[in-house]
DNA sequence: GTGGAAGTCGTTTTT
DNA sequence: CGACTTCCAC
């Protein structure tokens, strides 16, 4: 492929970014402006036109999915697999470094990755050891303290001691936690980055090696980098590497996880001579949708400033629907979906986006009622399931006997008579000795420090693990997994669980064996065994692609997980104050701006048609709440919006909510002159809206939300209501 | 060690 | 409201 071909079909700024001479680049790429395309073409350009070896290029992404996609597109563009090129997530690359240089990083060779669930368990244990009661010192709080500090590149030793009780306690937990991880050979997500950052700082020769190896570094989704990631990057880049950062400050939605939007704002100061290129032409959405998105995001301050434009069609207006309640909202969405599919469109051209996962249920029910196939993204990852984590824990113990998190998980799973008492004893001993639980148990058995019964259970557990570990070399990965499941009795154990759960768990265990069977190692390192490699990928990679991916289904997901995707038809559900923006964010201007960026992300997912829906009444945590339409809707230029009014049924939505069973309820109120949603007045409570009616006739219970007095339940015949 | 009752708490979650 | 945890009685 020659240079003109590489630049074919690129607009001027895109071509400029792709063919720029070596140097630092900041590419501000608006939604749908061909960001990945530019990145991939840039790499191809370096290789083909500049004669740069793929070996000299590192491309960093945030998700495994993005990394895979980049690799695939590059391969397609180049016609060959670019060997030697490093493409991966920050965490994946950091892990690779630590695995290669485990000695310099002061880690055991077979260190394991601690995921957030294991992390929390470990912290709970530390709380117990420190006598912190869960009530006043929730483990979650410590977890976020630790993670936030690690994200900032701050170790316990770096924290300045204060006399503040909270700070002191958190710090002591942090210290203990670091200690526990070190003895167990465990590394959490933040630690991967922190540790590899320190690895370079402490080993100039090593750093030099990598700096010379990677004169070209490209980073995707740069707005999502946190402090350590940025520091990591700066250290690696040093003075002699060229960095290309691609990102969009308007799509920074992970601030709550430590992402620093400042990084993108500061890039050109830290990397002198940076040329900034803006990609503002959008190839995804209609002009109307873009205008709406621009209208919303303009309300944020301190933006780097971009205005998306398109040469595409004006498109249809954005529809705004006010549902009476969340059921009505869901019903409306499904009816519009039916219409769209009726026009011959595929279901997977449709996405329903929402702010919080709790919203998905009502939507699911509505889809189910109309038999519309759907798929929910997010939720539980395969490798996060209980039964899978159990078998993984056994596999981890085979690799590293000191992995305390794994041992804690399965020492009594399936139950083998090792109760809390025994485990407490082992923990205490391990603490005193500063050793892992496994070696504590070993020592206690030789010292006869355990009761006979406990000693025999513990040693049978240990020899079980040992037996399995002895076969790691000789068996295939899936054979090993199968054997482990059989020998440990996990399958029978989970099968005993009642309901369909037990069976589902057994099936998942089978699926796990198949996953092992088809597993392809990611690294071609012959040093690391396939088991070690597999365990790392189970921890770092969601195992997202599931089998049903190919089924034509409506896509449901949170706004966060929609980033990077696009759909011809998009519904944004629940655009209400206190839900979106979320009520935890409305007070704080910084967080509110992040919510607004989330709205911007949502709107720009839509290609041809966008619906915004909200509910005037919504049940949240079992309580009715009444929210007005989201401020973000009001920020959309009114000429882009069109309100959808549904016939006359609006005042009596329950009638078309669940026709046969519930219609009678509204009849019963009708006889007395009232209907759901109607405004009424009460002699004491004043004016309000009828929310719900239970029962019929004069004894019917009627729930009313009064403007001043709040929600009350009254008996109809005594309430002395008057229509307003 | 289980199962039921009672209590709790309630965003978003690339790794 | 409902998912999740915790605690207590068998």
């Amino acid at each position: 492929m020659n240079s003109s071909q590489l630049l074919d079909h690129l607009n001027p700024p895109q071509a400029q970014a792709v063919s720029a001479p070596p140097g630092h680049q900041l590419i501000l790429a608006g939604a749908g402006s061909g960001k990945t395309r530019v990145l991939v073409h840039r790499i191809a350009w370096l290789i083909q036109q500049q004669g740069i070896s793929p070996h000299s290029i590192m491309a960093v992404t945030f998700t495994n999915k993005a990394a895979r996609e980049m690799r695939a597109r590059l391969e397609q563009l180049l016609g060959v697999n670019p060997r030697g090129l490093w493409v991966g997530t920050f965490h994946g690359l950091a892990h690779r470094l630590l695995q290669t240089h485990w000695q310099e990083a002061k880690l055991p060779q077979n260190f394991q990755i601690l995921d957030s669930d294991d992390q929390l368990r470990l912290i709970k244990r530390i709380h117990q050891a420190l006598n912190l009661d869960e009530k006043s010192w929730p483990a979650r709080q410590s977890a976020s303290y630790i993670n936030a500090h690690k994200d900032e590149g701050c170790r316990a030793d770096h924290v300045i001691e204060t006399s503040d009780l909270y700070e002191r306690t958190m710090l002591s937990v942090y210290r203990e936690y670091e200690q526990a991880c070190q003895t167990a050979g465990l590394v959490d997500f933040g630690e991967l980055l922190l540790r590899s950052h320190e690895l370079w700082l402490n080993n100039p020769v090593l750093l030099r090696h990598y700096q010379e190896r990677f004169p070209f570094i490209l980073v995707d989704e740069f707005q999502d980098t946190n402090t350590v990631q940025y520091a990591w990057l700066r250290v690696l880049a040093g003075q002699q590497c060229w960095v290309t950062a691609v990102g969009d400050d308007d799509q920074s939605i992970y601030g709550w996880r430590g992402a620093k939007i400042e990084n993108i704002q500061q890039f050109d100061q830290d990397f002198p001579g940076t040329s900034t290129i803006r990609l503002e032409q959008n190839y995804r959405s209609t002009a109307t949708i873009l205008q709406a998105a621009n209208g919303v995001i303009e309300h944020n301050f301190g933006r780097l400033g971009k205005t998306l434009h398109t040469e595409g069609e004006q498109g249809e207006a954005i529809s705004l629907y006010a549902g009476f309640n969340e059921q009505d909202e869901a019903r409306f969405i499904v009816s519009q979906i039916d219409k769209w599919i009726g026009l011959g469109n595929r279901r997977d051209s449709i996405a329903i986006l929402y702010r919080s996962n709790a919203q998905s249920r009502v939507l699911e029910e509505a889809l189910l009622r109309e038999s519309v196939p759907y798929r929910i993204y997010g939720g539980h990852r395969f490798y996060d399931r209980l039964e899978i984590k159990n078998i993984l824990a056994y596999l981890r113990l085979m690799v590293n006997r000191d992995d305390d998190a794994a041992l804690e998980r399965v020492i009594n799973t399936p139950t083998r008579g090792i109760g809390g008492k025994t485990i407490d004893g082992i923990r205490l001993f391990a603490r005193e000795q500063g050793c892992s639980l496994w070696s504590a148990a070993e020592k206690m058995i030789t010292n006869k420090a355990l009761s006979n019964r406990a000693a025999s259970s513990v040693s049978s557990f240990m020899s079980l693990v040992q037996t399995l570990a002895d076969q790691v070399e000789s068996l295939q990965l899936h054979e090993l997994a199968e054997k482990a499941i059989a020998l440990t009795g996990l399958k029978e154990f989970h099968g005993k669980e009642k309901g369909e759960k037990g069976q589902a768990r057994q099936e998942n265990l089978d699926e796990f064996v198949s996953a092992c069977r088809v597993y392809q190692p990611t690294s071609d390192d012959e040093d690391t065994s396939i088991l070690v490699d597999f365990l790392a990928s189970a921890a770092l990679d969601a195992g997202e692609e599931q089998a049903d991916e190919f089924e034509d289904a409506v896509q449901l997901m949170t706004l966060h997980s929609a980033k990077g995707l696009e759909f011809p038809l998009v519904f944004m559900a629940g655009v209400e104050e206190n839900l979106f923006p979320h009520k935890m964010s409305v007070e704080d201007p910084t967080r509110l701006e992040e919510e607004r960026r989330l709205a911007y992300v949502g709107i720009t997912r839509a290609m041809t048609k966008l619906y915004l829906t909200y509910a005037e009444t919504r049940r949240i945590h079992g309580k009715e709440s009444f929210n007005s339409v989201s401020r973000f809707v009001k920020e959309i230029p009114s000429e882009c919006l069109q309100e959808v009014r549904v016939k006359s049924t609006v005042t009596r939505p329950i009638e078309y909510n669940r026709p046969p069973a519930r219609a009678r309820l509204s009849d019963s109120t009708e006889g007395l002159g009232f209907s759901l949603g109607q405004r009424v007045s009460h002699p004491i409570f004043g004016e309000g809206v009828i929310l719900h009616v239970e029962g019929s006739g004069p004894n019917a219970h009627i729930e009313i939300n009064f403007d001043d007095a709040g929600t009350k339940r009254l008996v109809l015949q005594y309430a002395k209501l008057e229509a307003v």
Side-chain angles (χ1 to χ4, degrees):
Chain A
M1 194 179 281
N2 62 39
S3 75
S4 69
Q5 277 175 303
L6 260 184
L7 300 180
D8 270 356
H9 314 296
L10 295 182
N11 65 31
Q14 286 178 334
Q16 196 196 339
V18 167
S19 62
H24 298 313
Q25 292 179 292
L26 177 61
I27 302 173
L28 296 174
S33 63
K35 163 181 75 89
T36 311
R37 189 179 168 81
V38 167
L39 210 45
V40 170
H41 280 244
R42 174 66 176 170
I43 296 173
W45 176 273
L46 290 173
I47 294 171
Q48 291 189 330
Q49 301 300 312
Q50 304 290 118
I52 307 293
S53 158
H55 200 76
S56 304
I57 302 172
M58 175 188 278
V60 195
T61 61
F62 276 81
T63 64
N64 291 293
K65 199 171 145 210
R68 274 191 292 267
E69 188 184 332
M70 193 182 291
R71 206 169 248 294
R73 285 173 69 165
L74 206 52
E75 197 172 328
Q76 197 186 16
L77 200 60
L78 295 171
V80 288
N81 182 349
R83 293 194 70 83
L85 178 81
W86 276 32
V87 183
T89 63
F90 274 105
H91 297 268
L93 297 172
H95 179 250
R96 184 168 176 177
L97 285 165
L98 294 180
Q99 224 166 34
T100 315
H101 307 289
W102 55 274
Q103 278 160 312
E104 292 91 331
K106 301 185 185 71
L107 284 169
Q109 183 169 17
N110 288 329
F111 72 89
Q112 295 294 305
I113 297 167
L114 195 70
D115 66 29
S116 5
D117 184 52
D118 290 335
Q119 183 189 45
L120 199 65
R121 290 158 152 268
L122 184 56
I123 293 171
K124 274 191 182 147
R125 240 177 59 213
I126 289 167
H127 278 203
Q128 277 164 16
L130 295 179
N131 274 322
L132 298 172
D133 81 298
E134 270 290 320
K135 273 247 144 76
S136 21
W137 300 100
R140 279 200 179 282
Q141 192 176 46
S142 299
S144 18
Y145 177 92
I146 292 169
N147 292 141
H149 281 259
K150 288 199 177 187
D151 284 347
E152 287 294 311
C154 189
R155 290 210 174 278
D157 280 343
H158 303 149
V159 181
I160 299 150
E161 305 220 24
T162 62
S163 56
D164 181 62
L165 177 64
Y166 170 79
E167 277 294 329
R168 257 179 28 228
T169 314
M170 287 296 118
L171 191 54
S172 65
V173 175
Y174 192 3
R175 283 229 166 80
E176 289 287 331
Y177 173 78
E178 279 186 329
Q179 182 64 49
C181 287
Q182 188 61 34
T183 48
L186 294 169
V187 171
D188 63 37
F189 291 133
E191 185 76 19
L192 285 168
L193 297 160
L194 198 46
R195 197 59 85 120
S196 55
H197 180 233
E198 288 167 353
L199 170 71
W200 283 332
L201 294 181
N202 298 332
N203 298 275
V205 180
L206 207 73
L207 174 62
R208 186 94 207 138
H209 166 78
Y210 283 101
Q211 286 176 334
E212 279 166 11
R213 157 128 197 214
F214 296 114
F216 294 93
I217 304 167
L218 299 95
V219 190
D220 195 10
E221 304 279 17
F222 190 75
Q223 75 282 355
D224 291 335
T225 49
N226 65 27
T227 303
V228 209
Q229 286 161 339
Y230 192 46
W232 191 92
L233 203 61
R234 287 180 66 184
V235 168
L236 175 59
Q239 298 302 314
Q240 57 280 301
C241 308
W242 299 123
V243 179
T244 296
V246 184
D248 181 357
D249 55 322
D250 291 334
Q251 290 189 69
S252 163
I253 54 174
Y254 285 103
W256 50 277
R257 268 185 96 224
K260 284 273 182 300
I261 194 168
E262 295 86 345
N263 292 347
I264 199 168
Q265 291 159 345
Q266 209 191 306
F267 185 84
D268 60 352
Q269 284 155 51
D270 293 330
F271 295 89
T274 293
S275 66
T276 301
I277 294 173
R278 288 182 160 74
L279 304 180
E280 298 175 297
Q281 182 168 356
N282 174 293
Y283 295 94
R284 178 187 292 158
S285 312
T286 65
T288 304
I289 289 167
L290 283 189
Q291 197 187 342
N294 284 332
V296 171
I297 200 67
E298 266 166 22
H299 289 78
N300 272 6
F301 291 97
R303 300 172 55 218
L304 292 171
K306 268 182 289 75
T307 305
L308 288 178
H309 59 85
T310 177
E311 291 173 2
E313 291 174 18
Q314 192 61 39
E316 251 182 78
I318 294 166
S319 299
L320 175 67
Y321 178 74
F324 173 72
N325 57 20
E326 71 272 25
Q327 264 94 20
D328 181 31
E329 179 191 34
R331 188 162 269 272
F332 170 77
I333 291 173
V334 176
S335 72
Q336 298 311 110
I337 286 175
D338 275 338
K339 241 190 228 169
W340 176 264
I341 293 170
L343 294 171
N345 294 296
R346 287 178 59 86
R347 283 185 287 269
D348 58 12
S349 67
I350 308 166
I352 309 177
L353 311 180
Y354 36 79
R355 175 68 237 263
S356 70
N357 285 120
Q359 286 170 255
S360 73
R361 267 205 28 196
V362 180
L363 294 163
E364 274 184 84
E365 284 166 11
L367 288 162
L368 228 40
R369 261 202 302 276
E370 298 298 318
S371 317
V372 181
Y374 63 90
R375 181 181 170 204
I376 298 193
Y377 275 80
H380 298 256
R381 309 183 327 160
F382 180 69
Y383 292 120
D384 278 347
R385 302 200 177 138
L386 183 74
E387 61 279 18
I388 302 302
K389 297 215 66 159
N390 286 341
I391 177 64
L392 280 170
Y394 277 106
L395 294 175
R396 277 165 53 173
L397 275 178
M398 292 176 214
V399 169
N400 173 14
R401 241 47 50 91
D402 294 331
D403 188 335
D404 287 355
L407 186 134
E408 288 254 5
R409 179 180 281 280
V410 291
I411 189 167
N412 200 32
T413 310
T415 32
R416 47 172 75 83
I418 305 174
K421 249 321 224 337
T422 312
I423 300 174
D424 279 345
I426 300 174
R427 272 194 210 118
L428 193 67
F429 189 84
R431 251 180 96 71
E432 282 165 358
Q433 302 279 307
C435 67
S436 71
L437 294 171
W438 179 277
S439 50
E442 241 169 9
K443 284 176 194 153
M444 288 174 85
I445 289 168
T446 32
N447 297 348
K448 302 251 189 304
L450 289 173
S451 73
N452 280 342
R453 210 170 57 120
S456 87
S457 319
V458 172
S459 53
S460 78
F461 164 73
M462 290 171 81
S463 57
L464 168 66
V465 173
Q466 194 58 54
T467 312
L468 286 164
D470 289 341
Q471 302 178 56
V472 168
E473 296 293 321
S474 57
L475 292 179
Q476 299 270 349
L477 183 59
H478 72 271
E479 292 169 336
L480 187 68
E482 218 161 9
K483 194 146 212 168
I485 292 170
L487 253 51
T488 56
L490 271 182
K491 201 162 175 184
E492 298 77 62
F493 175 71
H494 286 301
K496 280 205 298 259
E497 286 180 67
K498 59 171 184 186
E500 290 172 12
K501 229 178 199 162
Q503 203 189 343
R505 295 219 147 123
Q506 291 187 320
E507 283 166 9
N508 285 335
L509 286 170
D510 290 338
E511 207 175 317
F512 180 78
V513 175
S514 332
C516 290
R517 191 176 287 118
V518 298
Y519 181 71
Q520 294 290 327
T522 49
S523 80
D524 21 288
D525 230 341
E526 60 287 325
D527 280 13
T528 47
S529 74
I530 180 163
L531 175 57
V532 170
D533 196 87
F534 175 79
L535 289 174
S537 103
L540 288 176
D541 195 345
E544 197 56 63
E545 331 75 286
Q546 294 293 309
D548 54 355
E549 196 180 351
F550 301 105
E551 202 199 347
D552 182 28
V554 175
Q555 316 282 302
L556 272 71
M557 67 192 87
T558 62
L559 287 155
H560 282 90
S561 26
K563 195 176 74 166
L565 306 175
E566 59 180 29
F567 304 91
L569 176 62
V570 168
F571 295 88
M572 277 171 72
V575 287
E576 297 146 43
E577 283 295 298
N578 296 325
L579 183 61
F580 187 34
H582 196 276
K583 68 165 173 303
M584 317 280 333
S585 303
V586 286
E587 306 291 339
D588 179 348
T590 316
R591 300 176 78 180
L592 184 65
E593 292 213 340
E594 185 155 311
E595 297 274 329
R596 187 173 284 113
R597 292 192 290 269
L598 198 52
Y600 176 77
V601 167
I603 294 169
T604 52
R605 296 312 95 195
M607 298 163 81
T608 45
K609 174 74 188 176
L610 174 65
Y611 283 91
L612 305 174
T613 64
Y614 67 103
E616 284 162 349
T617 303
R618 183 182 297 271
R619 254 192 127 70
I620 297 177
H621 311 325
K623 271 219 184 78
E624 299 288 346
S625 45
F626 310 88
N627 297 311
S628 49
V629 64
S630 169
R631 68 190 73 190
F632 302 142
V633 173
K634 295 180 183 159
E635 291 168 2
I636 294 174
S638 57
E639 64 267 30
C640 304
L641 272 179
Q642 176 190 35
E643 267 195 78
V644 182
R645 279 280 149 223
V646 173
K647 298 139 216 123
S648 56
T649 37
V650 159
T651 47
R652 274 168 31 207
I654 208 132
E655 255 185 27
Y656 69 96
N657 231 351
R658 242 173 252 162
R662 291 268 211 109
R664 292 214 341 270
L665 291 181
S666 55
D667 289 343
S668 67
T669 49
E670 243 171 25
L672 289 145
F674 300 111
S675 61
L676 289 159
Q678 183 178 359
R679 280 193 74 79
V680 291
S681 135
H682 182 275
I684 296 163
F685 300 130
E687 289 190 14
V689 176
I690 299 182
L691 296 180
H692 187 63
V693 180
E694 259 175 43
S696 58
N699 280 320
H701 284 60
I702 185 162
E703 197 173 30
I704 299 167
N705 178 46
F706 291 104
D707 298 345
D708 301 320
T711 304
K712 303 269 181 219
R713 283 167 62 86
L714 306 167
V715 177
L716 193 51
Q717 63 175 319
Y718 305 120
K720 296 194 183 123
L721 295 175
E722 278 176 34
V724 177

